[in-house]
Amino acid sequence: MRILLIEDDAMIGAGLCQALERVAMTVDWVKTAADAAPALAPGEHALVLLDLGLPDGDGLQLLRAHRASRGALPIIIITARDSLDARIAGLDLGADDYVLKPFETSELLARIRAVMRRHAGSASPMLAAGELTLDLASHEARFQGAKVLLPAREFALLRALCARPGMIFSRAQLEAAIYGWGEEVESNAIDVLIYAIRQKLGRSAIRNVRGAGWMVTKDMA
Ligand code: CA
């Protein structure tokens, strides 16, 4: 799951990158409104964290422009502004939630999970695909009696597959889902992650579709 972080404060940004990467989220970080506008194009990111006070513009303008062009990215405002008006304006412009700086990382992470659940149309903190279940908070995966805590990158890959059970993901689609801008991706990186997941959960946890990619099934065995 890739997050677009729009934040000009170096310390807050670096702290958020670290915290999000620890929970298997890949962060692409921009520090200005000018860099943020093209990054808000659909397709690349699962969620946006948006600071309002940017050096060259206002986050609310970015939000307004994104929603005006029918952009549907989930957006959480992170702001030091204690003005009630700015928060109300943000929500009315289509933000999904907001957190006030300074915030506890654990609360922001819980809000991200909640916004993603609402966006997926589900109230459950579990992601289920056939016999596979993923606990999005604890990173525990279960499959046919096996239960295991997955490291960040393996969890990120399985989360991408389980979000769309029955859909075949190509190598490029999986790489795009879990690696950020400028990350070196070994040509066999996806194979290595899938091998590791299968070693832990069982070979049939992820299906190969010859010549097309990989998928998890919707059906119970
Ligand atoms: Ca700022």
Side-chain angles (χ1 to χ4, degrees):
M1 182 166 135
R2 277 170 67 187
I3 306 259
L4 176 63
L5 171 63
I6 304 171
E7 167 65 74
D8 63 308
D9 186 290
M11 257 184 35
I12 294 175
L16 276 177
C17 285
Q18 255 187 7
L20 291 165
E21 276 154 20
R22 266 201 302 272
V23 294
M25 292 174 188
T26 302
V27 186
D28 294 317
W29 179 12
V30 296
K31 302 177 181 74
T32 62
D35 287 341
L40 281 162
E44 268 200 302
H45 297 101
L47 181 133
V48 180
L49 297 175
L50 175 65
D51 176 29
L52 294 186
L54 296 167
D56 58 340
D58 188 336
L60 287 178
Q61 288 295 350
L62 289 168
L63 174 61
R64 180 182 286 121
H66 181 69
R67 293 296 186 235
S69 63
R70 308 226 172 151
L73 280 168
I75 295 177
I76 299 178
I77 290 175
I78 44 175
T79 179
R81 289 185 198 180
D82 47 11
S83 146
L84 182 62
D85 289 346
R87 299 202 303 268
I88 292 172
L91 292 171
D92 282 340
L93 283 172
D96 295 90
D97 202 355
Y98 65 83
V99 290
L100 286 180
K101 296 172 188 170
F103 50 82
E104 290 293 331
T105 308
S106 54
E107 184 187 354
L108 177 65
L109 295 177
R111 285 181 186 276
I112 290 174
R113 291 192 294 271
V115 166
M116 292 309 295
R117 283 201 300 275
R118 289 205 294 275
H119 198 68
S122 161
S124 168
M126 310 291 287
L127 205 52
E131 293 178 85
L132 197 53
T133 53
L134 282 187
D135 185 320
L136 297 175
S138 73
H139 292 196
E140 197 174 78
R142 292 164 185 259
F143 183 71
Q144 294 181 340
K147 186 174 108 176
V148 62
L149 205 59
L150 291 174
R153 210 64 106 165
E154 292 168 32
F155 180 79
L157 187 146
L158 202 55
R159 180 175 56 201
L161 288 169
C162 288
R164 307 285 296 277
M167 172 174 153
I168 301 168
F169 285 75
S170 67
R171 181 182 305 280
Q173 285 171 316
L174 286 175
E175 287 173 356
I178 65 174
Y179 294 102
W181 297 334
E183 272 191 275
E184 284 285 333
V185 184
E186 299 279 337
S187 62
N188 66 342
I190 298 293
D191 307 82
V192 169
L193 291 172
I194 287 176
Y195 178 82
I197 295 167
R198 284 174 166 164
Q199 287 291 103
K200 292 168 190 162
L201 287 176
R203 186 161 169 81
S204 54
I206 298 174
R207 275 218 244 157
N208 266 18
V209 184
R210 195 177 280 275
W214 298 270
M215 63 178 280
V216 297
T217 169
K218 274 186 220 179
D219 314 312
M220 304 299 277

